[in-house]
Coordinates of all heavy atoms in Angstrom, one line a residue:
M1 N 0.8 -1.2 0.0 CA 0.0 0.0 0.0 C 0.9 1.2 0.0 O 1.9 1.3 0.7 CB -0.9 0.0 1.2 CG -1.8 1.2 1.3 SD -2.7 1.2 2.8 CE -4.3 0.9 2.1
V2 N 0.5 2.2 -0.7 CA 1.3 3.5 -0.9 C 0.9 4.4 0.3 O -0.3 4.6 0.5 CB 1.0 4.2 -2.2 CG1 1.7 5.5 -2.3 CG2 1.4 3.3 -3.3
S3 N 1.8 5.0 1.0 CA 1.6 5.9 2.0 C 1.8 7.4 1.5 O 2.8 7.7 0.9 CB 2.5 5.8 3.2 OG 2.4 6.8 4.1
V4 N 0.7 8.2 1.6 CA 0.8 9.6 1.2 C 1.0 10.6 2.3 O 1.0 11.8 2.1 CB -0.5 10.0 0.4 CG1 -0.6 9.1 -0.9 CG2 -1.7 9.9 1.2
E5 N 1.3 10.1 3.5 CA 1.4 11.0 4.6 C 2.5 11.9 4.5 O 2.5 13.0 5.1 CB 1.6 10.1 6.0 CG 0.3 9.4 6.3 CD 0.5 8.4 7.5 OE1 1.6 8.4 8.0 OE2 -0.5 7.7 7.8
R6 N 3.6 11.5 3.9 CA 4.8 12.4 3.8 C 4.7 13.4 2.6 O 5.6 14.2 2.6 CB 6.0 11.5 3.7 CG 6.3 10.7 4.9 CD 7.5 9.8 4.8 NE 8.6 10.4 4.4 CZ 9.7 9.9 3.8 NH1 9.6 8.7 3.5 NH2 10.7 10.7 3.4
L7 N 3.7 13.2 1.8 CA 3.6 14.2 0.7 C 3.1 15.5 1.2 O 2.4 15.6 2.2 CB 2.6 13.7 -0.3 CG 3.1 12.4 -1.1 CD1 1.9 11.9 -2.0 CD2 4.3 12.6 -1.8
P8 N 3.5 16.6 0.5 CA 3.0 17.9 1.0 C 1.5 18.0 0.8 O 0.9 17.3 -0.1 CB 3.7 18.9 0.1 CG 4.3 18.1 -1.0 CD 4.3 16.7 -0.6
K9 N 0.8 18.8 1.7 CA -0.6 18.9 1.5 C -0.9 19.7 0.3 O -0.1 20.5 -0.2 CB -1.2 19.8 2.7 CG -1.2 19.0 4.0 CD -1.8 19.9 5.0 CE -2.0 19.2 6.4 NZ -2.6 20.2 7.4
P10 N -2.1 19.5 -0.3 CA -2.5 20.3 -1.5 C -2.5 21.8 -1.1 O -2.8 22.1 0.1 CB -3.9 19.8 -1.8 CG -4.0 18.5 -1.2 CD -3.1 18.5 0.1
V11 N -2.1 22.6 -2.0 CA -2.0 24.1 -1.6 C -3.3 24.6 -1.1 O -3.3 25.3 -0.1 CB -1.5 24.9 -2.9 CG1 -1.6 26.4 -2.6 CG2 -0.1 24.4 -3.3
Q12 N -4.5 24.4 -1.7 CA -5.7 24.9 -1.2 C -5.9 24.5 0.2 O -6.3 25.4 1.0 CB -6.8 24.4 -2.1 CG -8.2 25.1 -1.6 CD -9.3 24.7 -2.5 OE1 -9.2 24.1 -3.5 NE2 -10.5 25.2 -2.1
E13 N -5.7 23.3 0.6 CA -5.9 22.8 2.0 C -4.9 23.6 2.9 O -5.3 23.9 4.0 CB -5.7 21.3 2.0 CG -6.0 20.7 3.3 CD -5.8 19.2 3.3 OE1 -6.2 18.6 2.3 OE2 -5.2 18.7 4.3
S14 N -3.7 23.8 2.5 CA -2.8 24.5 3.3 C -3.2 26.0 3.7 O -2.7 26.5 4.7 CB -1.4 24.5 2.7 OG -1.0 23.2 2.4
Y15 N -4.0 26.6 2.8 CA -4.3 28.0 3.0 C -5.8 28.2 3.3 O -6.2 29.4 3.4 CB -3.9 28.8 1.8 CG -2.4 28.9 1.7 CD1 -1.7 28.0 0.9 CD2 -1.6 29.9 2.4 CE1 -0.3 28.1 0.8 CE2 -0.3 29.9 2.4 CZ 0.4 29.0 1.5 OH 1.8 29.1 1.5
E16 N -6.6 27.1 3.5 CA -8.0 27.3 3.7 C -8.3 28.1 5.0 O -9.3 28.8 5.1 CB -8.6 26.0 3.8 CG -9.3 25.5 2.5 CD -10.0 24.2 2.7 OE1 -9.9 23.5 3.6 OE2 -10.7 23.8 1.7
W17 N -7.4 28.1 6.0 CA -7.6 28.8 7.2 C -7.8 30.3 6.9 O -8.5 31.0 7.6 CB -6.5 28.6 8.2 CG -5.1 29.0 7.7 CD1 -4.2 28.1 7.1 CD2 -4.5 30.3 7.7 NE1 -3.1 28.8 6.7 CE2 -3.3 30.1 7.2 CE3 -4.9 31.5 8.3 CZ2 -2.3 31.2 7.1 CZ3 -4.0 32.6 8.2 CH2 -2.7 32.4 7.6
Q18 N -7.3 30.8 5.8 CA -7.4 32.2 5.6 C -8.8 32.7 5.2 O -9.1 33.8 5.4 CB -6.4 32.6 4.4 CG -4.9 32.4 4.7 CD -4.0 32.9 3.7 OE1 -4.4 33.4 2.6 NE2 -2.8 32.8 4.0
Y19 N -9.6 31.7 4.8 CA -11.1 32.1 4.6 C -11.8 32.5 5.8 O -12.8 33.1 5.8 CB -11.8 31.0 3.8 CG -11.3 30.7 2.4 CD1 -10.7 29.5 2.1 CD2 -11.4 31.7 1.4 CE1 -10.3 29.2 0.8 CE2 -11.0 31.4 0.1 CZ -10.4 30.2 -0.1 OH -10.0 29.9 -1.4
R20 N -11.3 32.0 7.0 CA -11.9 32.3 8.2 C -11.3 33.4 9.0 O -11.5 33.7 10.2 CB -11.9 31.0 9.1 CG -12.8 29.9 8.5 CD -12.8 28.6 9.3 NE -11.6 27.9 9.2 CZ -10.8 27.5 10.1 NH1 -11.1 27.7 11.3 NH2 -9.7 26.8 9.8
A21 N -10.3 34.1 8.4 CA -9.5 35.1 9.1 C -10.4 36.3 9.4 O -11.2 36.8 8.6 CB -8.4 35.6 8.2
A22 N -10.2 36.9 10.6 CA -10.9 38.1 11.0 C -10.5 39.3 10.2 O -11.3 40.3 10.1 CB -10.6 38.3 12.5
C23 N -9.3 39.3 9.6 CA -8.9 40.4 8.7 C -9.4 40.2 7.3 O -9.1 41.2 6.5 CB -7.4 40.5 8.8 SG -6.5 39.0 8.2
S24 N -10.0 39.2 7.0 CA -10.5 39.0 5.6 C -11.4 40.2 5.2 O -12.3 40.5 5.8 CB -11.2 37.7 5.5 OG -11.7 37.5 4.2
G25 N -11.0 40.8 4.1 CA -11.8 42.0 3.6 C -11.4 43.3 4.2 O -11.9 44.3 3.7
L26 N -10.6 43.3 5.2 CA -10.1 44.6 5.8 C -9.0 45.2 4.9 O -8.3 44.4 4.2 CB -9.7 44.4 7.3 CG -10.8 43.8 8.2 CD1 -10.2 43.7 9.6 CD2 -12.0 44.8 8.2
D27 N -8.7 46.4 5.2 CA -7.6 47.1 4.5 C -6.3 46.5 5.1 O -6.0 46.6 6.3 CB -7.7 48.6 4.9 CG -6.7 49.4 4.1 OD1 -5.8 48.8 3.4 OD2 -6.7 50.6 4.2
S28 N -5.5 46.0 4.2 CA -4.2 45.4 4.6 C -3.2 46.4 5.2 O -2.3 46.1 5.9 CB -3.6 44.6 3.4 OG -3.2 45.5 2.4
A29 N -3.5 47.7 4.9 CA -2.6 48.7 5.5 C -2.7 48.7 7.0 O -1.8 49.3 7.6 CB -3.0 50.1 4.9
Q30 N -3.7 48.2 7.5 CA -3.8 48.1 9.0 C -2.8 47.1 9.6 O -2.3 47.3 10.7 CB -5.2 47.5 9.4 CG -5.5 47.4 10.9 CD -5.7 48.8 11.4 OE1 -6.6 49.5 11.1 NE2 -4.9 49.2 12.3
F31 N -2.3 46.2 8.7 CA -1.4 45.1 9.2 C 0.1 45.3 8.7 O 1.0 44.7 9.3 CB -1.9 43.8 8.8 CG -3.2 43.4 9.4 CD1 -4.4 43.9 8.9 CD2 -3.3 42.6 10.6 CE1 -5.6 43.6 9.5 CE2 -4.4 42.3 11.2 CZ -5.6 42.8 10.7
F32 N 0.2 46.2 7.7 CA 1.6 46.4 7.1 C 1.9 47.9 7.2 O 1.1 48.7 6.7 CB 1.6 45.9 5.7 CG 1.4 44.4 5.6 CD1 0.1 43.8 5.4 CD2 2.5 43.5 5.7 CE1 0.0 42.4 5.4 CE2 2.3 42.1 5.7 CZ 1.1 41.6 5.5
A33 N 3.1 48.1 7.7 CA 3.5 49.5 7.9 C 4.0 50.1 6.6 O 4.8 49.5 5.9 CB 4.6 49.6 9.0
P34 N 3.7 51.4 6.4 CA 4.4 52.1 5.3 C 5.8 52.2 5.7 O 6.2 52.3 6.9 CB 3.7 53.5 5.3 CG 2.4 53.3 6.1 CD 2.7 52.2 7.0
A35 N 6.8 52.3 4.8 CA 8.2 52.3 5.1 C 8.6 53.5 6.0 O 9.5 53.3 6.8 CB 8.9 52.4 3.8
S36 N 7.8 54.6 5.9 CA 8.3 55.8 6.6 C 7.5 55.8 8.0 O 7.9 56.7 8.8 CB 7.8 57.0 5.9 OG 6.4 57.0 5.7
E37 N 6.7 54.9 8.4 CA 6.0 55.0 9.6 C 6.9 54.6 10.8 O 7.6 53.6 10.8 CB 4.8 54.0 9.6 CG 3.9 54.1 10.8 CD 2.8 53.1 10.8 OE1 3.2 51.8 10.9 OE2 1.7 53.4 10.7
R38 N 6.8 55.4 11.8 CA 7.6 55.2 13.0 C 6.8 55.6 14.3 O 5.8 56.2 14.2 CB 8.9 56.2 13.0 CG 9.8 56.0 11.9 CD 10.8 54.8 12.1 NE 11.8 54.7 11.1 CZ 11.6 54.0 9.9 NH1 10.5 53.5 9.7 NH2 12.6 54.0 9.0
G39 N 7.4 55.3 15.5 CA 6.9 55.9 16.7 C 5.5 55.6 17.1 O 5.0 54.5 16.7
P40 N 4.8 56.6 17.7 CA 3.5 56.3 18.2 C 2.5 56.0 17.2 O 1.6 55.2 17.4 CB 3.1 57.7 18.9 CG 4.4 58.3 19.1 CD 5.4 57.9 18.2
K41 N 2.6 56.5 16.0 CA 1.7 56.2 14.9 C 1.8 54.7 14.6 O 0.8 54.0 14.4 CB 2.0 57.1 13.6 CG 1.0 56.9 12.6 CD 1.3 57.9 11.4 CE 0.2 57.8 10.4 NZ 0.5 58.7 9.2
R42 N 3.0 54.2 14.4 CA 3.2 52.8 14.2 C 2.6 51.9 15.3 O 2.0 50.9 15.1 CB 4.7 52.5 14.0 CG 5.0 51.0 13.6 CD 6.5 50.8 13.4 NE 6.7 49.6 12.8 CZ 7.4 49.5 11.6 NH1 7.9 50.5 11.0 NH2 7.6 48.4 11.0
E43 N 2.9 52.3 16.5 CA 2.4 51.6 17.8 C 0.9 51.5 17.7 O 0.3 50.5 18.0 CB 2.9 52.2 19.0 CG 4.5 52.0 19.2 CD 5.1 52.9 20.3 OE1 4.3 53.5 21.1 OE2 6.3 53.0 20.4
R44 N 0.3 52.7 17.4 CA -1.2 52.6 17.4 C -1.8 51.7 16.3 O -2.7 51.0 16.5 CB -1.7 54.1 17.2 CG -1.7 54.9 18.4 CD -2.5 56.2 18.2 NE -2.1 57.0 17.1 CZ -1.1 57.9 17.2 NH1 -0.5 58.1 18.3 NH2 -0.7 58.6 16.1
R45 N -1.1 51.8 15.1 CA -1.7 50.9 14.0 C -1.4 49.4 14.4 O -2.3 48.6 14.2 CB -0.9 51.2 12.8 CG -1.5 50.4 11.5 CD -0.5 50.5 10.3 NE 0.8 50.3 10.7 CZ 1.4 49.1 11.0 NH1 0.6 48.0 10.9 NH2 2.7 49.0 11.2
E46 N -0.3 49.1 15.0 CA 0.0 47.7 15.3 C -0.9 47.2 16.4 O -1.4 46.1 16.4 CB 1.5 47.5 15.7 CG 2.4 47.6 14.6 CD 3.9 47.6 15.0 OE1 4.2 47.7 16.1 OE2 4.7 47.3 14.0
A47 N -1.2 48.1 17.4 CA -2.1 47.8 18.5 C -3.5 47.5 17.9 O -4.2 46.5 18.4 CB -2.1 48.8 19.5
A48 N -3.9 48.3 17.0 CA -5.3 48.1 16.4 C -5.3 46.7 15.6 O -6.3 46.0 15.7 CB -5.6 49.2 15.5
A49 N -4.2 46.4 14.9 CA -4.1 45.2 14.2 C -4.1 44.0 15.1 O -4.8 43.0 14.9 CB -2.8 45.2 13.3
K50 N -3.4 44.1 16.3 CA -3.3 43.0 17.2 C -4.7 42.9 17.8 O -5.0 41.7 18.2 CB -2.2 43.4 18.2 CG -0.8 43.2 17.8 CD 0.1 43.6 18.9 CE 1.6 43.4 18.4 NZ 2.5 43.7 19.6
A51 N -5.5 43.9 18.0 CA -6.8 43.8 18.6 C -7.7 42.9 17.7 O -8.5 42.2 18.1 CB -7.4 45.1 18.8
I52 N -7.5 43.1 16.4 CA -8.3 42.3 15.4 C -7.8 40.8 15.5 O -8.6 39.9 15.5 CB -8.2 42.9 14.0 CG1 -8.7 44.3 13.9 CG2 -8.7 41.9 12.9 CD1 -8.4 45.0 12.7
C53 N -6.5 40.7 15.6 CA -6.0 39.3 15.6 C -6.5 38.6 16.9 O -6.7 37.4 16.9 CB -4.4 39.3 15.7 SG -3.6 39.9 14.1
A54 N -6.7 39.4 17.9 CA -7.1 38.7 19.2 C -8.5 38.1 19.1 O -8.9 37.2 19.9 CB -7.1 39.8 20.3
T55 N -9.3 38.5 18.1 CA -10.6 38.0 17.9 C -10.6 37.0 16.8 O -11.7 36.4 16.5 CB -11.6 39.1 17.5 OG1 -11.3 39.5 16.1 CG2 -11.6 40.3 18.4
C56 N -9.5 36.7 16.3 CA -9.4 35.8 15.1 C -9.5 34.3 15.4 O -8.7 33.9 16.2 CB -8.2 36.1 14.3 SG -8.0 35.2 12.7
P57 N -10.4 33.6 14.7 CA -10.5 32.2 15.0 C -9.3 31.3 14.5 O -9.2 30.2 14.9 CB -11.8 31.8 14.4 CG -12.0 32.7 13.3 CD -11.4 34.0 13.7
V58 N -8.5 31.9 13.6 CA -7.4 31.2 13.1 C -6.0 31.8 13.4 O -5.0 31.7 12.7 CB -7.5 31.1 11.5 CG1 -8.7 30.1 11.2 CG2 -7.6 32.4 10.9
I59 N -5.9 32.4 14.6 CA -4.7 33.1 15.0 C -3.5 32.1 15.1 O -2.4 32.5 14.7 CB -4.9 33.9 16.4 CG1 -3.7 34.8 16.6 CG2 -5.3 33.0 17.5 CD1 -3.9 35.7 17.8
Q60 N -3.7 30.9 15.6 CA -2.7 30.0 15.7 C -2.1 29.5 14.3 O -1.0 29.5 14.1 CB -3.0 28.7 16.5 CG -1.8 27.9 16.8 CD -0.8 28.6 17.7 OE1 -1.1 29.1 18.8 NE2 0.4 28.7 17.2
E61 N -3.1 29.3 13.4 CA -2.7 28.9 12.0 C -1.9 30.0 11.3 O -0.9 29.7 10.7 CB -3.9 28.6 11.2 CG -4.6 27.3 11.6 CD -5.7 27.4 12.6 OE1 -5.6 28.5 13.4 OE2 -6.6 26.6 12.7
C62 N -2.3 31.2 11.6 CA -1.7 32.4 11.0 C -0.3 32.5 11.5 O 0.7 32.7 10.8 CB -2.6 33.6 11.3 SG -1.8 35.1 10.6
L63 N -0.1 32.4 12.8 CA 1.2 32.5 13.5 C 2.1 31.4 13.0 O 3.2 31.6 12.6 CB 1.1 32.6 15.0 CG 2.4 32.7 15.7 CD1 3.2 33.9 15.3 CD2 2.1 32.6 17.3
D64 N 1.6 30.2 13.0 CA 2.4 29.0 12.5 C 2.9 29.3 11.1 O 4.1 29.0 10.8 CB 1.6 27.7 12.5 CG 1.3 27.3 14.0 OD1 1.9 27.8 15.0 OD2 0.4 26.5 14.2
H65 N 2.0 29.8 10.2 CA 2.4 30.0 8.9 C 3.5 31.1 8.8 O 4.5 30.9 8.1 CB 1.2 30.5 8.0 CG 1.5 31.0 6.7 ND1 1.8 30.2 5.6 CD2 1.6 32.3 6.2 CE1 2.2 31.0 4.6 NE2 2.0 32.3 4.9
A66 N 3.3 32.2 9.5 CA 4.3 33.3 9.4 C 5.6 32.8 10.0 O 6.7 33.3 9.5 CB 3.8 34.5 10.3
L67 N 5.6 32.0 11.0 CA 6.9 31.5 11.6 C 7.5 30.5 10.6 O 8.7 30.5 10.3 CB 6.7 30.7 12.9 CG 6.3 31.7 14.1 CD1 5.8 30.9 15.2 CD2 7.4 32.6 14.4
A68 N 6.7 29.7 9.9 CA 7.2 28.7 9.0 C 7.9 29.3 7.8 O 8.9 28.8 7.3 CB 6.1 27.7 8.5
V69 N 7.3 30.4 7.3 CA 7.9 31.0 6.1 C 8.7 32.2 6.4 O 9.3 32.9 5.5 CB 6.7 31.5 5.1 CG1 5.9 30.3 4.7 CG2 5.9 32.6 5.7
R70 N 8.9 32.5 7.7 CA 9.7 33.6 8.2 C 9.2 34.9 7.6 O 10.0 35.7 6.9 CB 11.2 33.3 8.0 CG 11.6 32.2 8.8 CD 13.1 32.0 8.8 NE 13.8 32.9 9.5 CZ 15.1 32.9 9.8 NH1 15.8 31.9 9.4 NH2 15.7 33.9 10.5
E71 N 7.9 35.2 7.7 CA 7.3 36.3 7.1 C 8.0 37.6 7.7 O 8.0 37.7 8.8 CB 5.8 36.3 7.4 CG 5.0 37.5 6.9 CD 5.2 37.8 5.5 OE1 4.9 36.9 4.6 OE2 5.5 39.0 5.1
P72 N 8.6 38.4 6.8 CA 9.4 39.5 7.3 C 8.7 40.8 7.6 O 9.2 41.7 8.1 CB 10.4 39.6 6.2 CG 9.8 39.3 5.0 CD 8.8 38.2 5.4
F73 N 7.4 40.8 7.2 CA 6.7 42.1 7.3 C 5.3 41.9 7.9 O 4.7 40.8 7.8 CB 6.4 42.7 5.9 CG 7.7 42.9 5.2 CD1 8.0 42.2 4.0 CD2 8.6 44.0 5.5 CE1 9.2 42.4 3.4 CE2 9.8 44.2 4.8 CZ 10.1 43.4 3.7
G74 N 4.8 43.0 8.6 CA 3.4 42.9 9.0 C 3.1 42.2 10.3 O 4.0 41.6 10.9
V75 N 1.9 42.4 10.7 CA 1.3 41.7 11.9 C 0.7 40.4 11.4 O -0.2 40.5 10.6 CB 0.4 42.6 12.7 CG1 -0.3 41.8 13.8 CG2 1.0 43.8 13.2
W76 N 1.2 39.3 11.9 CA 0.6 38.0 11.6 C 0.4 37.3 12.9 O 1.3 37.3 13.8 CB 1.5 37.2 10.7 CG 1.6 37.7 9.3 CD1 2.3 38.8 8.9 CD2 1.2 37.0 8.1 NE1 2.3 38.9 7.5 CE2 1.7 37.9 7.0 CE3 0.5 35.8 7.9 CZ2 1.3 37.5 5.7 CZ3 0.2 35.6 6.6 CH2 0.7 36.3 5.5
G77 N -0.7 36.6 13.1 CA -0.9 35.9 14.3 C -0.8 36.7 15.6 O -0.4 36.2 16.6
G78 N -1.1 37.9 15.5 CA -1.0 38.8 16.7 C 0.4 39.3 17.0 O 0.5 39.9 18.1
L79 N 1.4 39.0 16.2 CA 2.7 39.5 16.5 C 3.3 40.2 15.3 O 3.1 39.9 14.1 CB 3.6 38.3 16.8 CG 3.2 37.4 18.0 CD1 4.2 36.2 18.1 CD2 3.2 38.2 19.3
T80 N 4.1 41.2 15.7 CA 4.9 41.9 14.7 C 6.1 41.1 14.2 O 6.4 40.1 14.8 CB 5.5 43.3 15.2 OG1 6.4 42.9 16.3 CG2 4.3 44.2 15.8
A81 N 6.7 41.5 13.2 CA 7.8 40.8 12.7 C 9.0 40.6 13.6 O 9.5 39.5 13.8 CB 8.3 41.4 11.3
P82 N 9.4 41.7 14.4 CA 10.4 41.5 15.4 C 9.9 40.6 16.5 O 10.8 39.7 17.0 CB 10.6 42.9 15.9 CG 10.2 43.8 14.8 CD 9.1 43.1 14.1
E83 N 8.7 40.6 16.9 CA 8.2 39.7 18.0 C 8.2 38.3 17.5 O 8.5 37.4 18.3 CB 6.7 40.2 18.3 CG 6.7 41.5 19.1 CD 5.3 42.0 19.2 OE1 4.4 41.6 18.5 OE2 5.1 42.9 20.1
R84 N 7.9 38.1 16.2 CA 7.9 36.7 15.7 C 9.3 36.2 15.6 O 9.6 35.0 15.9 CB 7.3 36.6 14.2 CG 5.8 36.8 14.3 CD 5.2 36.4 12.9 NE 5.8 37.2 11.8 CZ 5.3 38.4 11.4 NH1 4.4 39.0 12.0 NH2 5.9 38.9 10.4
E85 N 10.2 37.0 15.3 CA 11.7 36.6 15.2 C 12.2 36.2 16.6 O 12.9 35.3 16.8 CB 12.5 37.8 14.6 CG 13.8 37.3 14.0 CD 13.8 36.1 13.0 OE1 12.7 36.0 12.3 OE2 14.7 35.3 13.1
D86 N 11.8 37.1 17.6 CA 12.1 36.7 19.0 C 11.6 35.3 19.4 O 12.3 34.5 20.0 CB 11.6 37.7 20.0 CG 12.4 39.1 19.9 OD1 13.5 39.1 19.3 OD2 11.9 40.1 20.5
L87 N 10.3 35.1 19.1 CA 9.7 33.9 19.4 C 10.4 32.7 18.6 O 10.6 31.7 19.3 CB 8.2 33.9 19.0 CG 7.4 32.7 19.2 CD1 7.3 32.3 20.7 CD2 6.0 32.8 18.7
R88 N 10.7 32.9 17.4 CA 11.3 31.8 16.6 C 12.7 31.5 17.2 O 13.1 30.3 17.3 CB 11.5 32.3 15.2 CG 11.7 31.2 14.2 CD 12.0 31.7 12.8 NE 13.2 32.5 12.8 CZ 14.4 32.0 12.9 NH1 14.6 30.7 12.9 NH2 15.5 32.7 12.9
R89 N 13.4 32.5 17.7 CA 14.8 32.3 18.3 C 14.7 31.5 19.6 O 15.6 30.7 19.9 CB 15.5 33.6 18.5 CG 16.2 34.1 17.3 CD 17.3 35.1 17.6 NE 16.7 36.2 18.2 CZ 16.3 37.3 17.6 NH1 16.4 37.4 16.3 NH2 15.7 38.3 18.2
T90 N 13.7 31.8 20.4 CA 13.6 31.3 21.7 C 12.8 30.0 21.8 O 12.8 29.3 22.8 CB 13.0 32.3 22.7 OG1 11.6 32.6 22.3 CG2 13.8 33.5 22.9
R91 N 12.1 29.7 20.8 CA 11.2 28.5 20.8 C 12.0 27.3 20.7 O 13.0 27.2 19.9 CB 10.3 28.6 19.5 CG 9.0 27.8 19.6 CD 8.0 28.4 18.7 NE 7.8 27.6 17.5 CZ 6.8 27.7 16.8 NH1 5.8 28.4 17.1 NH2 6.7 27.0 15.7
P92 N 11.8 26.3 21.5 CA 12.5 25.0 21.4 C 12.4 24.4 20.0 O 11.3 24.4 19.4 CB 12.0 24.1 22.5 CG 10.8 24.8 23.1 CD 10.7 26.2 22.5
R93 N 13.5 23.9 19.6 CA 13.5 23.2 18.3 C 13.3 21.7 18.5 O 13.8 21.1 19.4 CB 14.8 23.4 17.5 CG 15.0 24.8 17.1 CD 16.3 25.0 16.5 NE 16.5 26.4 16.4 CZ 16.8 27.0 15.2 NH1 17.0 26.3 14.2 NH2 17.0 28.3 15.1
V94 N 12.5 21.2 17.6 CA 12.2 19.7 17.6 C 13.2 19.0 16.7 O 13.4 19.4 15.5 CB 10.8 19.4 17.2 CG1 10.5 17.9 17.1 CG2 9.8 20.1 18.1
T95 N 13.9 18.1 17.2 CA 14.9 17.4 16.3 C 14.5 15.9 16.4 O 14.1 15.4 17.4 CB 16.3 17.5 16.8 OG1 16.4 17.2 18.2 CG2 16.8 19.0 16.7
L96 N 14.7 15.2 15.3 CA 14.4 13.8 15.2 C 15.6 13.1 15.3 O 16.6 13.4 14.7 CB 13.6 13.5 13.9 CG 12.3 14.2 13.7 CD1 11.8 13.9 12.3 CD2 11.3 13.8 14.7
R97 N 15.7 12.1 16.2 CA 16.9 11.3 16.3 C 16.5 9.8 16.0 O 15.5 9.4 16.3 CB 17.4 11.3 17.8 CG 17.9 12.6 18.1 CD 18.2 12.7 19.6 NE 18.4 14.1 20.0 CZ 19.4 14.5 20.6 NH1 20.4 13.7 20.9 NH2 19.5 15.8 21.0
R98 N 17.4 9.2 15.3 CA 17.2 7.8 15.0 C 17.9 7.0 16.1 O 19.0 7.3 16.6 CB 17.9 7.4 13.7 CG 17.2 8.0 12.6 CD 18.0 7.7 11.3 NE 17.3 8.4 10.2 CZ 16.9 7.7 9.1 NH1 17.1 6.5 8.9 NH2 16.3 8.4 8.1
S99 N 17.2 5.9 16.6 CA 17.8 5.1 17.6 C 18.9 4.2 16.9 O 18.7 3.8 15.8 CB 16.8 4.3 18.3 OG 16.1 3.6 17.3
A100 N 20.0 3.9 17.6 CA 21.1 3.1 17.0 C 20.7 1.7 16.9 O 19.9 1.1 17.5 CB 22.3 3.3 17.8
Ligands
LIG201 S1 -4.4 36.3 13.2 FE1 -4.5 38.5 12.5 S2 -3.3 38.6 10.6 FE2 -3.7 36.4 11.0 S3 -5.5 35.9 9.9 FE3 -6.2 36.5 12.0 S4 -6.7 38.7 11.9 FE4 -5.5 38.1 10.0

């Protein structure tokens, strides 16, 4: 019998969570900073984006995706890019070992 467990998931299945996103249909500018944005204006925009994420039914899927692809911009899964990078660095890594 052929095992398909190790094959990658179909693309549509991998991204279906996005159909349930709380940000679906909203202005993406809420989640992605203009290059010149700094200081309190940036903090307010990110806080508003994070408030939307906090209500999102797929926040974990979104964060997992952003971490997996090392998404370098925007608020994903309730975290900014620097926050995701911090999480990625401190998160324990899973390694597979073969028994001898
Ligand atoms: S967690 Fe935030 S960025 Fe991710 S899908 Fe939900 S609302 Fe959008």
